[in-house]
Every structure is written in structure tokens, then in C-alpha cells.
Amino acid sequence: MRIVRYAVGGVRHYGELEYGDARIARFEGDPFTGLSPTGHIDEVGDVVLLSPVEKPRIFGFAYNYASHVDETDREIPDVPVCFMKPSTAVVGPGDAIVYPADGEIVHFEGELVVVIGKEARHVKPSEAHEYVLGYTCGNDVSDRVVQRKESAFGTLLIGKGQDTFAPLGPVLATGLDPSDLALTTRLNGTVVQSASTADLLLTVPGIIGYLSRHLTLLPGDVIMTGTPSGVGPIRPGDVVEVEIEGIGVLRNPVVAESR
């Protein structure tokens, strides 16, 4: 299934994208407690697509592709490097990434995102798929100047967590095998990242096993699995697209912050 979260006339719904991606079969309920068809069909052109998950906890993994480690001139870490983004960083497909008024170097990072479907603690990697609801595209937008200053003192929040710095979407795809999905990021139509999730250093099952060994994962949590090489700067006026095989294209314009 390719589940979408969307609004019609200000009312929010979940539905399944079908009919050549032109229509949405509306559901009652939500993916975490159960969905049931209503029989109502919405035209995609009549709705506003939202982020697939509302106000999630966001876990991020840094340096999880060897190619990205190489381009940052670092060593592959001995342990997974994790961070969190606030739920207020989330925006949906088509929403603007706001370039901070005092920003100097802000980068895109296209990533596969895991959405947890049920509470998970001490999960074996071999059983991790049982706790995954589905997958979506993500962009781990990062203010490098702030990030580097924070990282020098062992913290990481503002550089990764500003409002609009976590675009997600366009759909929540269920039933995918995350082990070898093509990931492509385009900046203003030009391919800037091209990789496969087969290149993840810590795989999706390993990520879930690692996190759940140390803390409880909850339904609706999202995990940004890391970005491959090719990250680079964005500026107001740009358009960033993250495309992942079996999921679709997450497209977001970049606009200047107004104060």
C-alpha cells in the first residue's frame, strides 16, 4: 500500500493512493490503530498532501554510508552516531524549507525513513520487520555552521532541528524490502545524490535492533537512516527532490525566512 495523509477543506484523513496516483481511496482511522475503507474517493488535485506522520519523534543516524563518511574526511565511527530532531521540524511534500535569516551554509540530505508501527523494545534484527509500518522519503536539512559549532562540544540540536528541517513524504509505503532501494536526490532538476540503501553501513534491521536495545520505540516514531555522498548547499529559490524506489518523490521548495 501507498498510504497518504491529507487534508480536504481543513479536515485531515488517511487514504490509499491509487488509480494512477490521481485518486485517493479515503479511510477511517489511522495506520497505527487500524484503517477501514469509507468508499469515498478524493481527487489528488483537490487535496493537500501532508507529512505521512503527524508530529513524530525523529531519530537520525549520521555517517551511515561509507561514501558520505569519505566526503566529510572522517573515519567510519566505532558506534552508531545518533541524534534527534524535534517534531516541529517536520513538513510535508510541497511545503517550503525555510532558509534561516542568519544561515550561511545549509545542506540537503536525501534519506530513507523508517516509520515504526508498534512499540518496540529489545528487538532482534531478524524480527525488526515486524515492527515497521512502512517507509517514506526524508530530507535531513542541516545548518552546517551551527552543526559544527555544536558538535565541537558534543551536542547536536539547532543545526539539525530548526523548523522545516525535516521534510517527509509523499507517501507511507508498506511491504517494501529496504535492503536495496535506489535513492536519488535532485537539486533544481540535476541529480546530486545517487545511491542504494544496500550501501547502508548499519542496515534497517540493525538500526531498529540498536535503538530498541537502549530505548523504547513507539508507534509513529520515524528513523532517518542516513545520507549517501553528494550532500550540498541549498539557497532560497531552489527546489529539492528526494526520490526512493517504491515510494515516490518528495519535493520541497526553499524560501528565505521572513522576520
Side-chain angles (χ1 to χ4, degrees):
M1 296 178 66
R2 298 174 71 221
I3 300 170
V4 290
R5 181 170 160 266
Y6 63 102
V8 181
V11 181
R12 299 181 178 187
H13 307 278
Y14 279 96
E16 182 178 6
L17 192 62
E18 52 185 33
Y19 305 107
D21 291 356
R23 296 181 180 180
I24 300 169
R26 187 186 296 183
F27 292 137
E28 289 183 346
D30 65 71
F32 307 101
T33 59
L35 294 168
S36 57
T38 65
H40 185 89
I41 301 295
D42 292 298
E43 299 289 335
V44 169
D46 296 333
V47 313
V48 176
L49 292 181
L50 307 171
S51 65
V53 186
E54 183 178 14
K55 297 181 179 179
R57 298 196 302 178
I58 308 165
F59 298 90
F61 278 73
Y63 311 116
N64 202 24
Y65 284 83
S67 63
H68 179 54
V69 175
D70 288 343
E71 74 178 350
T72 60
D73 198 27
R74 294 176 180 268
E75 299 293 328
I76 292 175
D78 294 330
V79 296
V81 179
C82 307
F83 60 92
M84 292 189 72
K85 286 177 175 264
S87 60
T88 47
V90 173
V91 291
D95 290 338
I97 298 167
V98 178
Y99 195 99
D102 54 358
E104 297 179 56
I105 305 173
V106 178
H107 279 190
F108 60 82
E109 294 188 12
E111 309 199 6
L112 175 70
V113 176
V114 183
V115 180
I116 298 298
K118 61 181 181 179
E119 187 171 308
R121 182 77 162 115
H122 298 299
V123 175
K124 298 177 182 178
S126 61
E127 299 173 352
H129 64 281
E130 299 176 12
Y131 296 85
V132 175
L133 176 61
Y135 302 89
T136 193
C137 303
N139 188 347
D140 176 21
V141 181
S142 306
D143 185 320
R144 296 301 190 206
V145 173
V146 178
Q147 178 185 344
R148 289 165 185 159
K149 290 178 179 178
E150 289 182 311
S151 295
F153 292 92
T155 64
L156 189 59
L157 177 61
I158 305 304
K160 292 279 192 179
Q162 298 185 47
D163 287 1
T164 77
F165 272 25
L168 300 175
V171 307
L172 175 57
T174 65
L176 282 185
D177 178 353
S179 63
D180 188 11
L181 299 175
L183 185 158
T184 304
T185 305
R186 291 180 291 272
L187 181 64
N188 302 323
T190 299
V191 173
V192 287
Q193 290 185 293
S194 181
S196 168
T197 57
D199 298 327
L200 284 166
L201 295 172
L202 186 62
T203 64
V204 169
I207 285 171
I208 294 171
Y210 179 78
L211 281 177
S212 69
R213 183 163 76 247
H214 299 287
L215 51 87
T216 300
L217 293 171
L218 301 174
D221 283 350
V222 304
I223 305 169
M224 307 188 86
T225 58
T227 196
S229 62
V231 301
I234 54 175
R235 298 295 302 175
D238 289 342
V239 176
V240 186
E241 296 174 304
V242 180
E243 181 173 6
I244 298 178
E245 179 183 0
I247 300 173
V249 179
L250 170 65
R251 182 181 294 105
N252 299 94
V254 182
V255 302
E257 181 181 17
S258 59
R259 289 185 175 178

